[in-house]
Amino acid sequence: MTHGMRIVGENAVYLSHMPLFNGSCHNYQALLEVTFEGAGDPQAKYLIEQKKDLNQNEFTFEPTQEFSMPDLESGKIQSFKGNIHRGQYERNATRQLIASNVNAKVKRVVYFRRLSPNSQVPKLTEYLLFGNSKEQYLAHLITAPPDFDQILTVKTKLPLSDDQLQKAVRLVLPNRPVPDPQRQTQQALKFNDQPAVLINGVGTRQAVGVGVEYFKETRDLL
């Protein structure tokens, strides 16, 4: 099967798998750091387009090669081919081709987890912090339907090293309880929010400044 990805990043480039809760090969939340290779420097093309308009910054990777998601986690698959689009490539009215026949070379698997529709929703909202000491991002931790997939930039970075950010760091938001699992989307972070967070759910509360949103997807996770 092929696996669509969303693209985020301003210096380093990350792919976020587009998951589904249907018990199929798409029920994975995965974050990958990649480099784009190919004719015409596709990574430079993406970075130029990404900086043009931060209000239209949803980019997707349309795969043209079949593979299984677990093979990415195990390292059996270390690259795969596809096309870069501005907008969601499956929704033709919004997409714009940026680069074709691109090779996405996996530098590291930042986060990988199989999703189950029967998972228990955490009592407090949780996000995954990833990136590096220069740029950090927040990805909503997906648990059970109805849920949402979202990535935002971080304006006020947490004092974590590149080594600490090799894998996504779990952030628990103690001031954002989830009173009703059917209304998880109401807890989504927004631009300029400054939520208190607990790194891995423990320790001293720290504030995170939330920047622009890359995307928020709800209808694929009902």
Side-chain angles (χ1 to χ4, degrees), residues 28-32 69-70 72-73 109-114:
Y28 295 91
Q29 183 174 17
L31 299 168
L32 315 168
M69 290 298 295
L72 279 179
E73 183 188 27
V109 177
V110 179
Y111 182 80
F112 192 94
R113 186 172 66 88
R114 185 171 185 172

Side-chain angles (χ1 to χ4, degrees), residues 110-159:
V110 179
Y111 182 80
F112 192 94
R113 186 172 66 88
R114 185 171 185 172
L115 302 175
S116 169
N118 299 318
S119 294
Q120 185 174 358
V121 176
K123 295 180 180 179
L124 298 173
T125 301
E126 297 188 20
Y127 276 77
L128 300 167
L129 178 75
F130 67 98
N132 52 55
S133 56
K134 294 181 179 179
E135 56 182 358
Q136 296 177 3
Y137 303 93
L138 294 167
H140 180 247
L141 179 68
I142 301 170
T143 52
D147 210 334
F148 65 99
D149 190 9
Q150 181 191 36
I151 290 183
L152 312 100
T153 61
V154 174
K155 291 197 299 183
T156 307
K157 301 177 186 66
L158 290 177

Side-chain angles (χ1 to χ4, degrees), residues 11-28:
N11 292 299
V13 175
Y14 301 91
L15 294 180
S16 174
H17 178 242
M18 297 158 64
L20 299 171
F21 277 123
N22 58 6
S24 73
C25 58
H26 299 297
N27 58 332
Y28 295 91

Side-chain angles (χ1 to χ4, degrees), residues 15-89:
L15 294 180
S16 174
H17 178 242
M18 297 158 64
L20 299 171
F21 277 123
N22 58 6
S24 73
C25 58
H26 299 297
N27 58 332
Y28 295 91
Q29 183 174 17
L31 299 168
L32 315 168
E33 183 181 355
V34 302
T35 54
F36 291 145
E37 300 174 344
D41 198 345
Q43 182 144 325
K45 288 181 178 178
Y46 158 72
L47 292 173
I48 290 170
E49 289 295 322
Q50 195 275 330
K51 290 176 173 63
K52 281 184 178 179
D53 185 356
L54 292 179
N55 294 316
Q56 298 291 329
N57 62 347
E58 182 179 20
F59 290 81
T60 52
F61 190 84
E62 175 193 15
T64 57
Q65 175 184 341
E66 294 189 352
F67 59 89
S68 72
M69 290 298 295
D71 284 347
L72 279 179
E73 183 188 27
S74 68
K76 183 178 180 180
I77 296 294
Q78 298 183 351
S79 66
F80 49 94
K81 292 188 178 294
N83 306 318
I84 298 172
H85 297 269
R86 178 187 288 277
Q88 220 281 35
Y89 73 89

Side-chain angles (χ1 to χ4, degrees), residues 170-187:
R170 186 172 63 95
L171 299 182
V172 176
L173 282 59
N175 297 330
R176 288 187 180 243
V178 185
D180 181 356
Q182 298 299 311
R183 294 184 291 170
Q184 290 192 76
T185 57
Q186 295 179 8
Q187 307 303 317

